[in-house]
C-alpha cells in the first residue's frame, strides 16, 4: 500500500468536546510555556558548559592531528573564559528566536535575521556552515521521542490558533536551539572551526535536554485542556493539503460535531490505501499465507502504523476476555508458563477478527524469535515467556506495537532485553536482578488490564532495579578503572624506559642483552616508575643497572677485570630484584643469566689473552661518575617487542610500541559492546575504559575481571576477524524485522 504522498498529523481526540480555553487563559499559558522552555533550555546549556571542558580535553588527548587538538583546546579556553557570557547570551538569543517563531505566519521567512538558518546563503563558507547546522539539528531530531515532538507541534499550534507547525519550524525545534547557540557564540567572535567544535560538543546535551523540555510542556498543556487527547489522521502531502484546505476544514468540523468524533474521518485517508488495507484483510480471512506476511510488513511499517489510536477496528471483546482468562491462570504466572499455552492461545485467537488473529500470530512469531536468540540468557527468556499473553493484549489495544519503538509494552521488552544482553550484568538464576525481574513480571500480570500506563510504571520499577544493580557493581567497576589507569601509566613508563635504553645501547651489545633490556628490563623500569615507594630513585637505579649490564658485556681491557669482578655481584642482585614484579618465568630467567655468565667468562678470558697488547678504547663505558664521557651515539635501534608474550608473562597486557592507527579502533567509544571469538565460542564484552592516548583498552564481562588489550592487540583481533562491534539493534527490533521479511514466509 502506497504511503509516499501522505503524512500523519494530529487532531483532537475525545477531549475535543471539553469547554474551550478562553483567549486570556491562552495568552497566560503561552507566556508560561515560553518562560518554561527558555528557563529549562538555559539550564541545559548551563549544565553542558560545566561538562564541556573536561569532555573536549579528553577528546583532544585522543586526536592524532595536532591542528584538531589545537581547535579543541581553543574551544576549551573559550568555555572557561566566557562561560557565564555564553549562558546569558544563549538565553537572550533563544528567547528572541522563540518569539519570532511563535508569531511568524506562513510566508514570513524574510522576517528571520540575517544569521538565521532559513536565509538563502550563497558563498561557499556560509553554505558549508548551514549544512553543518542542519546536520547537528538532524542528529538531535534523531534522538528525540517522536510522540513528544508531535505533541509539541500540535499543542503549540493549537495554543497559537494555528493549523500546524512543520517539523523544523516549531518554536522549540532543534534548529531554533542551535540557531540561538550559534548567535551566542558569534558574539564572542571565535574562529569558525572553534565555533563548530563547540556546537558539536553541545549537541548530545541539547538532544537529551529537549526531550525533557518537550515532556514538561506537553504535560503542562494537557493539564490545561490544550489537546488533552490527540490522535493521528492520515492526510495528503503538503501540496495536496494546500489544494484541499477548505474541504479538510469542513470534514474536521463535521467529525467533531458527530457522535463518533473519537474516530478520525476515514475518508481523509487516501482511497487507494484504504482499499488496499481492506483487500488485505479479506485475503487474511480467506487464509492466504502471503497475505499474513504482507500484514506483518504493514503492521511493522512506521509510516502507516507508527502511532497509537489508529482508525482501524478495535479488537473483538470475546478475544480480549479469553486473553484475560489466560492471563489470570496460575500457569501463566509460573516461571516458564504453561506447557500447553500455545494451544490455549490458538483457541483464543479464533475468537477475534482476521486482523486480531494475524496480530496474535505475529506476536507469537516475535516471541519465538526472541527465545531462539542466543544473546538473551535463559533466565531472562523464562520471564519474557510469561509476558506473551500480556504482549498480545497490548498489541491488540494499541496496534502500533510492531511499528513504534515508543509503544509502552515494546519499551518494556526492549529494556529487559537490553539489560539481559549487558555483559557486565549478573543474570544468574539466583542473582538479585533476575529475582527482581521475576517479581516485576508478577506485578504486571496481576495489574495489567487495558491501561498501557502500567508498562510505563513497570519501566520505572525496572530502572530502579538497574540502579540497585549498578550500585552493586560500582566498586568492581571502580577497581577496574583504577587498574586500567595503572596499566596506562605502566605503558607510558615502558615507552619512556625503551627510549632511555635505546640511548645507552652500543653497537657491540649482544642481541640477547638487547632483547632482555627492551622486552624485560623496560617493563621492570616501568614498574619502578609507577609502583615503587621512591619512584625517582628506583628509576635512576634501574637505569644505572642497565648501564652496568651494557658495560659488562662490552670488550674489556686487562685492567678492567678487577672492576668487573667487583661489579658483577651487585649487578646480578639488582637485576634479580628488578625482575620480581615483572614475573619473568624461571626457565627464561635461568637461560638469560647462564648466557650472561658465559659471556662474562669469555670477556675475562679475552682480556687476559690481550695482556701486553696495545690498549684499545672500550666500545662502551658505564655512565656516571668520573668514567662518564660524551660520545657519539649510534642510531637507536627499534625496541624488540612482543605484546602477546609480554601480556602472557604478567597478565597485564601492557603494550610495546603502539601499532598504526586504525579507523575502527578510533571509532570505538566507552560503553561499546565488542564480540570476541575465543576457543570456538563467541562472547560479548563491554568496552569499560579507554586510555587518554587510546593505547590501552579494557574489556569487562561479569564475572570476569577486566581484560586489558593494547591498541596493537585490538587491531590484530579486528583484522583477523576475531573481534567486531556487537550489533546495537534491540532483540525485539531484530525479531520484528525477521518476521516481516518476505523470505521468512
Amino acid at each position: 500500500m502506497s504511503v509516499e504522498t501522505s503524512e500523519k498529523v494530529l487532531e483532537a481526540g475525545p477531549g475535543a468536546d471539553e469547554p474551550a480555553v478562553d483567549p486570556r487563559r491562552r495568552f497566560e499559558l503561552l507566556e508560561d510555556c515560553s518562560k518554561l522552555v527558555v528557563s529549562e533550555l538555559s539550564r541545559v546549556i548551563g549544565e553542558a558548559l560545566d561538562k564541556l571542558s573536561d569532555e573536549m580535553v579528553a577528546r583532544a588527548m585522543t586526536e592524532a592531528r595536532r591542528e584538531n587538538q589545537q581547535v579543541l583546546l581553543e574551544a576549551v579556553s573559550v568555555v572557561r573564559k566566557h562561560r557565564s557570557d555564553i549562558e546569558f547570551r544563549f538565553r537572550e538569543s533563544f528567547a528572541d528566536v522563540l518569539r519570532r517563531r511563535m508569531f511568524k505566519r506562513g510566508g514570513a521567512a524574510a522576517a528571520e535575521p540575517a544569521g538565521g538558518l532559513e536565509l538563502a546563503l550563497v558563498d561557499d563558507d556560509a553554505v558549508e556552515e548551514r549544512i553543518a547546522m542542519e546536520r547537528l539539528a538532524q542528529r538531535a531530531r534523531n534522538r528525540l521521542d517522536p510522540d513528544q515532538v508531535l505533541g509539541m507541534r500540535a499543542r503549540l499550534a493549537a495554543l497559537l490558533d494555528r493549523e500546524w507547525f512543520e517539523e523544523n519550524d516549531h518554536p522549540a525545534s532543534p534548529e531554533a536551539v542551535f540557531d540561538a547557540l550559534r548567535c551566542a557564540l558569534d558574539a564572542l567572535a571565535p574562529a569558525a572551526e572553534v565555533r563548530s567544535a563547540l556546537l558539536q560538543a553541545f549537541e548530545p546535551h541539547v538532544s537529551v535536554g529537549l526531550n525533557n523540555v518537550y515532556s514538561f510542556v506537553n504535560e503542562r498543556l494537557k493539564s490545561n485542556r490544550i489537546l488533552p487527547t490527540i490522535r493521528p489522521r492520515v492526510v495528503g502531502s503538503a501540496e495536496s493539503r494546500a489544494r484541499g484546505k477548505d474541504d479538510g476544514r469542513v470534514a474536521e468540523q463535521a467529525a467533531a460535531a458527530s457522535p463518533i468524533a473519537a474516530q478520525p474521518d476515514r475518508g481523509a485517508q487516501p482511497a487507494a490505501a484504504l482499499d488496499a488495507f481492506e483487500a488485505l484483510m479479506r485475503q487474511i480471512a480467506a487464509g492466504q499465507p502471503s497475505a499474513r506476511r504482507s500484514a506483518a510488513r504493514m503492521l511493522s511499517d512506521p509510516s502507516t502504523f507508527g502511532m497509537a489510536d489508529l482508525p482501524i477496528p478495535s479488537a473483538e471483546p470475546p478475544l480480549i476476555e479469553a486473553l484475560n482468562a489466560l492471563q489470570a491462570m496460575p500457569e501463566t504466572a509460573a516461571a516458564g508458563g504453561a506447557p500447553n499455552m500455545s494451544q490455549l492461545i490458538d483457541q483464543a485467537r479464533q475468537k477475534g477478527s482476521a486482523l486480531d488473529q494475524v496480530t496474535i500470530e505475529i506476536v507469537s512469531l516475535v516471541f519465538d524469535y526472541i527465545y531462539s536468540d542466543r544473546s538473551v540468557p535463559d533466565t531472562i527468556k523464562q520471564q519474557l515467556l510469561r509476558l506473551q499473553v500480556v504482549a498480545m493484549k497490548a498489541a491488540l489495544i494499541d496496534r502500533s506495537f510492531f511499528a513504534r519503538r515508543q509503544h509502552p509494552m515494546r519499551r518494556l521488552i526492549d529494556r529487559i532485553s537490553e539489560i539481559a544482553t549487558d555483559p557486565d550484568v549478573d543474570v544468574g538464576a539466583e542473582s538479585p536482578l533476575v529475582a527482581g525481574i521475576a517479581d516485576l513480571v508478577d506485578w504486571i500480570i496481576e495489574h495489567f488490564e487495558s491501561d498501557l500506563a502500567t508498562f510505563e510504571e513497570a519501566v520505572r520499577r525496572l530502572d530502579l532495579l538497574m540502579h540497585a544493580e549498578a550500585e552493586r557493581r560500582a566498586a568492581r567497576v571502580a577497581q577496574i578503572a583504577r587498574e586500567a589507569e595503572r596499566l596506562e601509566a605502566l605503558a607510558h613508563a615502558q615507552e619512556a624506559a625503551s627510549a632511555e635504553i635505546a640511548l645507552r645501547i652500543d653497537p657491540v651489545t649482544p642481541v640477547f642483552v638487547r632483547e632482555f633490556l627492551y622486552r624485560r628490563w623496560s617493563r621492570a623500569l616501568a614498574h619502578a616508575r609507577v609502583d615503587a615507594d621512591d619512584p625517582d630513585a628506583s628509576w635512576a637505579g634501574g637505569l644505572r643497572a642497565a648501564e652496568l649490564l651494557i658495560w659488562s658485556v662490552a670488550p674489556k681491557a686487562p685492567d678492567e677485570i678487577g672492576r668487573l669482578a667487583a661489579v658483577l655481584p651487585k649487578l646480578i642482585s639488582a637485576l634479580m630484584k628488578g625482575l620480581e614484579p615483572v614475573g619473568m618465568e624461571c626457565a627464561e630467567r635461568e637461560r638469560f643469566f647462564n648466557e650472561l655468565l658465559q659471556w662474562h667468562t669469555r670477556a675475562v678470558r679475552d682480556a687476559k689473552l690481550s695482556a701486553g697488547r696495545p690498549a684499545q678504547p672500550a666500545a662502551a663505558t658505564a655512565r656516571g661518575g668520573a668514567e662518564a664521557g660524551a660520545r657519539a651515539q649510534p642510531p637507536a635501534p627499534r625496541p624488540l617487542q612482543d605484546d602477546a608474550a609480554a601480556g602472557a608473562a604478567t597478565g597485564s597486557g601492557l603494550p610495546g610500541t603502539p601499532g598504526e592507527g586504525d579507523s575502527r579502533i578510533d571509532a570505538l567509544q566507552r560503553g561499546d559492546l565488542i564480540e570476541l571469538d575465543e576457543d570456538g565460542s563467541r562472547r560479548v564484552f563491554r568496552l569499560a575504559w579507554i586510555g587518554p592516548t587510546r593505547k590501552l583498552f579494557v574489556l569487562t564481562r561479569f564475572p570476569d575481571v577486566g581484560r586489558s588489550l593494547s591498541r596493537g592487540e585490538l587491531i590484530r583481533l579486528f583484522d583477523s576477524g576475531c573481534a567486531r562491534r556487537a550489533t546495537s539493534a534491540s532483540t525485539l527490533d531484530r525479531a520484528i524485522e525477521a518476521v516481516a521479511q518476505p523470505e521468512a514466509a
Side-chain angles (χ1 to χ4, degrees), residues 353-417:
S353 66
L355 180 58
D356 295 340
Q357 293 174 16
V358 79
T359 299
I360 288 183
E361 181 175 337
I362 296 172
V363 172
S364 297
L365 291 174
V366 166
F367 271 75
D368 288 344
Y369 183 95
I370 292 174
Y371 304 146
S372 65
D373 189 342
R374 294 183 178 180
S375 66
V376 180
D378 290 341
T379 52
I380 301 299
K381 288 179 183 178
Q382 292 174 6
Q383 302 307 322
L384 289 175
L385 176 62
R386 299 170 58 204
L387 288 174
Q388 186 170 2
V389 173
V390 172
M392 289 175 177
K393 281 178 55 180
L396 290 168
I397 292 169
D398 181 350
R399 306 278 188 181
S400 69
F401 175 84
F402 305 102
R404 188 169 63 104
R405 289 190 176 92
Q406 294 302 319
H407 187 290
M409 180 65 189
R410 184 164 172 178
R411 285 183 59 209
L412 174 65
I413 296 176
D414 276 340
R415 190 76 178 100
I416 293 175
S417 301

Side-chain angles (χ1 to χ4, degrees), residues 474-708:
R476 171 177 169 268
V477 173
Q479 177 60 36
I480 289 173
R482 286 193 296 270
E483 181 61 20
E485 291 170 356
R486 175 179 171 274
L487 293 177
E488 181 79 355
L490 287 170
H492 286 301
Q494 186 177 353
E495 289 181 8
S498 295
E500 292 290 342
I501 289 169
L503 294 174
R504 289 160 171 78
I505 290 289
D506 286 318
V508 296
T509 302
V511 172
F512 83 96
V513 173
R514 293 181 183 225
E515 182 175 350
F516 169 81
L517 289 171
Y518 283 128
R519 185 169 296 169
R520 300 303 179 195
W521 197 246
S522 65
R523 298 179 59 213
L525 283 168
H527 280 275
R529 169 62 63 87
V530 174
D531 297 331
D533 294 334
D534 189 347
D536 292 338
S538 298
W539 175 265
L543 288 177
R544 176 64 177 171
E547 293 168 351
L548 288 174
L549 176 60
I550 294 168
W551 172 82
S552 73
V553 295
K556 294 290 176 287
D559 59 353
E560 293 180 302
I561 294 176
R563 181 169 180 262
L564 177 63
V567 164
L568 283 180
K570 294 181 180 179
L571 172 62
I572 300 301
S573 176
L575 293 176
M576 295 289 286
K577 183 177 180 181
L579 291 172
E580 288 178 0
V582 174
M584 188 175 180
E585 293 182 358
C586 294
E588 183 183 0
R589 185 172 64 244
E590 186 175 350
R591 283 196 303 272
F592 170 75
F593 282 109
N594 285 341
E595 190 168 0
L596 183 62
L597 176 60
Q598 294 172 13
W599 193 277
H600 288 154
T601 300
R602 287 195 298 271
V604 171
R605 182 190 62 205
D606 292 345
K608 290 179 178 179
L609 291 175
S610 66
R613 300 176 186 173
Q616 299 292 329
T621 59
R623 309 259 180 125
E627 294 178 294
R631 58 188 174 88
Q633 293 294 323
R638 181 180 178 87
L640 297 171
Q641 54 183 320
D642 183 350
D643 287 355
T650 64
S652 67
L654 282 172
T657 301
E660 296 298 325
D662 184 282
S663 58
R664 292 167 299 176
I665 306 304
D666 291 334
L668 293 176
Q669 298 181 1
R670 185 172 178 177
D672 284 349
L673 300 182
I674 308 293
E675 287 182 347
L676 293 182
D677 294 337
E678 300 179 322
D679 301 326
S681 63
R682 179 172 299 179
R683 306 176 74 198
V684 178
F685 293 80
R686 184 171 294 282
L687 182 53
W689 191 85
I690 302 175
T693 59
R694 301 188 75 87
K695 294 179 181 178
L696 190 66
F697 300 79
V698 177
L699 308 180
T700 57
R701 178 183 175 88
F702 183 89
D704 299 344
V705 296
R707 180 173 306 185
S708 303

Side-chain angles (χ1 to χ4, degrees), residues 47-334:
E47 293 176 353
L49 286 166
D50 292 337
K51 302 174 183 177
L52 286 190
S53 292
D54 291 341
E55 292 175 356
M56 288 190 291
V57 167
R59 282 181 53 199
M61 295 180 68
T62 65
E63 280 288 349
R65 299 180 60 183
R66 183 170 181 81
E67 55 268 30
N68 292 346
Q69 289 183 340
Q70 186 62 33
V71 167
L72 288 168
L73 293 177
E74 288 179 12
V76 170
S77 178
V78 170
V79 170
R80 290 177 176 174
K81 290 181 180 178
H82 303 288
R83 185 210 176 285
S84 299
D85 201 14
I86 294 172
E87 187 175 2
F88 172 77
R89 291 180 184 276
F90 169 79
R91 188 183 189 95
E92 295 295 310
S93 296
F94 182 71
D96 180 60
V97 171
L98 189 70
R99 284 192 297 270
R100 284 191 282 105
R101 283 175 170 253
M102 276 188 170
F103 301 108
K104 182 182 71 175
R105 297 290 175 173
E112 288 290 339
L117 287 176
E118 289 78 4
L119 184 63
L121 303 172
V122 293
D123 62 279
D124 291 343
D125 290 343
V127 170
E128 289 182 2
E129 177 186 0
R130 178 177 178 180
I131 291 173
M133 294 286 286
E134 289 175 349
R135 286 175 178 169
L136 281 174
Q138 182 62 48
R139 198 181 308 161
R141 279 199 301 273
N142 291 341
R143 303 187 189 192
L144 296 176
D145 183 335
D147 290 352
Q148 296 293 348
V149 174
L150 287 172
M152 280 285 288
R153 291 165 62 187
R155 292 188 175 98
L156 287 179
L159 193 63
L160 290 163
D161 197 23
R162 293 182 52 164
E163 271 195 27
W164 187 241
F165 272 117
E166 297 299 333
E167 182 179 10
N168 305 339
D169 198 39
H170 73 84
S173 68
E175 287 81 1
V177 178
F178 286 111
D179 190 8
L181 267 175
R182 180 186 54 76
C183 291
L185 295 174
D186 279 347
L188 305 176
E193 58 271 18
V194 173
R195 182 184 63 192
S196 176
L198 285 168
L199 289 172
Q200 291 183 40
F202 272 113
E203 184 273 320
H205 302 279
V206 169
S207 300
V208 174
L210 275 176
N211 265 323
N212 294 331
V213 171
Y214 291 177
S215 177
F216 294 156
V217 173
N218 279 320
E219 290 302 319
R220 183 72 59 87
L221 293 178
K222 284 165 61 179
S223 66
N224 284 276
R225 305 198 310 277
I226 303 297
L227 297 187
T229 303
I230 55 179
R231 64 180 58 191
R233 59 183 173 87
V234 182
V235 298
S237 63
E239 291 80 2
S240 63
R241 290 204 313 273
R243 291 194 298 267
K245 181 185 298 184
D246 293 337
D247 292 341
R249 286 177 177 170
V250 172
E252 280 190 67
Q253 292 170 0
S258 71
I260 54 171
Q263 293 294 329
D265 181 11
R266 295 186 63 172
Q269 300 185 51
L274 183 58
D275 290 344
F277 177 80
E278 292 176 346
L280 187 59
M281 292 301 100
R282 288 194 296 270
Q283 293 172 10
I284 292 173
Q288 295 185 17
S290 61
R292 293 184 179 276
R293 187 59 55 180
S294 298
R297 291 196 297 274
M298 179 191 295
L299 287 170
S300 61
D301 184 358
S303 65
T304 53
F305 280 79
M307 291 292 296
D309 207 9
L310 293 165
I312 57 178
S314 301
E316 294 293 331
L319 173 59
I320 296 296
E321 292 173 4
L323 292 177
N324 285 336
L326 288 178
Q327 182 177 330
M329 290 175 58
E331 292 87 348
T332 304

Side-chain angles (χ1 to χ4, degrees), residues 383 386-387 416 436-446:
Q383 302 307 322
R386 299 170 58 204
L387 288 174
I416 293 175
I437 291 177
D439 291 340
L440 179 61
V441 172
D442 289 340
W443 180 85
I444 294 170
I445 292 173
E446 179 182 354

